[in-house]
Amino acid sequence: MSKKKVSIIIPIYKVPEIYLRKCIESCINQTLKEIEIILVDDGSPDNCGEICDEYAKKDNRLKVIHKKNQGLSAARNTGFLVTNAEWIMFVDGDDWIEPDMCKIMYNEGMKKNVELVVCNYLRDYGNRKVIYDSFLEKNRIYKNEECKYLQEQILNFNAYLSSADAKLFKKSVLVTNNILHNEKLKQGVEGIEFNIRLFEVLKSVIYIDKAFYHYVYNDKSITSMYSEENCLYVIKGFEEIKKVISKSTNKKLIYCLYNRLQYAIITSAISSYFHPLNKESYKIKKRKYRAFLDNDLVREALSLKEIKNLSKQRKLILWMIKHNIFFLLPILAYLRYWQKHR
């Protein structure tokens, strides 16, 4: 089998058909033709697996893997272990990519001889679209110790570097350093932990100032639904990240972790515990949120006096949380929900 230039790995679980088809077709229609597309059906109980098989019959560049449900990280690892390309790209099953994403990012990676290519992404909320561009300097190659600075920015919510998406990875770097996704993690924390380990060994990165990746906001997806369980998964994930950081040569990471966790504390209140679709009484919501705040790592983050990378509104919410002023949180949660669904 001849080696491909780019492998696109797509983990799939309960993706609405309209999103899944657009995702797969956006990959099939890449202007770079020397690609393979690995569709990992993560035990989806609907017709996702059948849709994958349908496309594989039409295009021999598609490979379908049907497996039992083990989560996003395991699905990505399953796809990665069968790749046959120089470069790797992850695309979620309900997102899609621009036609020239692979070609431009591959050419830049090869021409500049780097180990990672990063681009912007566009978040599609249905009736409005927001481009999330990085603070990185366009077409600049970040090398060696500069990669350690970028490692810190993975924990900066406003830097948009934490996801495994919107990136093109040189496969040899991942293989040589045995960098796979941690299958115990979920709720987006898996991407943060994966990238922190990657940037620990990374020697070169280039940034392309174009929004090739389209993140589609699906209010039925797991990450969009309010859930106390998901909040607890996030904290467990940050506990795992702290273990990774303790082995890092970059001693600034622990403070970056606490700052990122402050954001997660706010998000847990607004998007979960006090979410307007959570029909529990205010008294129960408050009791459960207090229990969430009683976690040792959460308390460490709340005790941090220096607050970075938070907007004035989020700083105010964090101040209220620190001072046990919870009665306004349901109102703020409703406003946030209305903003997303207006």
Side-chain angles (χ1 to χ4, degrees), residues 274-304:
F274 296 97
H275 193 286
L277 295 183
N278 181 356
K279 299 306 180 184
E280 294 176 328
S281 69
Y282 169 72
K283 183 177 180 180
I284 293 175
K285 291 177 182 178
K286 186 169 70 170
R287 175 173 57 77
K288 288 185 175 182
Y289 189 58
R290 283 184 185 277
F292 168 82
L293 296 177
D294 198 41
N295 174 274
D296 289 343
L297 187 57
V298 171
R299 287 205 304 266
E300 289 173 20
L302 287 174
S303 68
L304 189 69

Side-chain angles (χ1 to χ4, degrees), residues 115 135 140-153 199-205 248-253:
E115 297 175 335
F135 66 95
R140 174 183 170 184
I141 299 175
Y142 292 80
K143 291 185 175 181
N144 302 318
E145 285 305 307
E146 292 175 322
C147 292
K148 292 294 191 294
Y149 168 70
L150 297 184
Q151 185 186 38
E152 296 164 22
Q153 301 312 307
F199 277 76
E200 185 73 17
V201 299
L202 211 58
K203 297 294 189 294
S204 54
V205 182
S248 173
T249 58
N250 188 349
K251 301 308 176 186
K252 295 180 181 178
L253 285 176

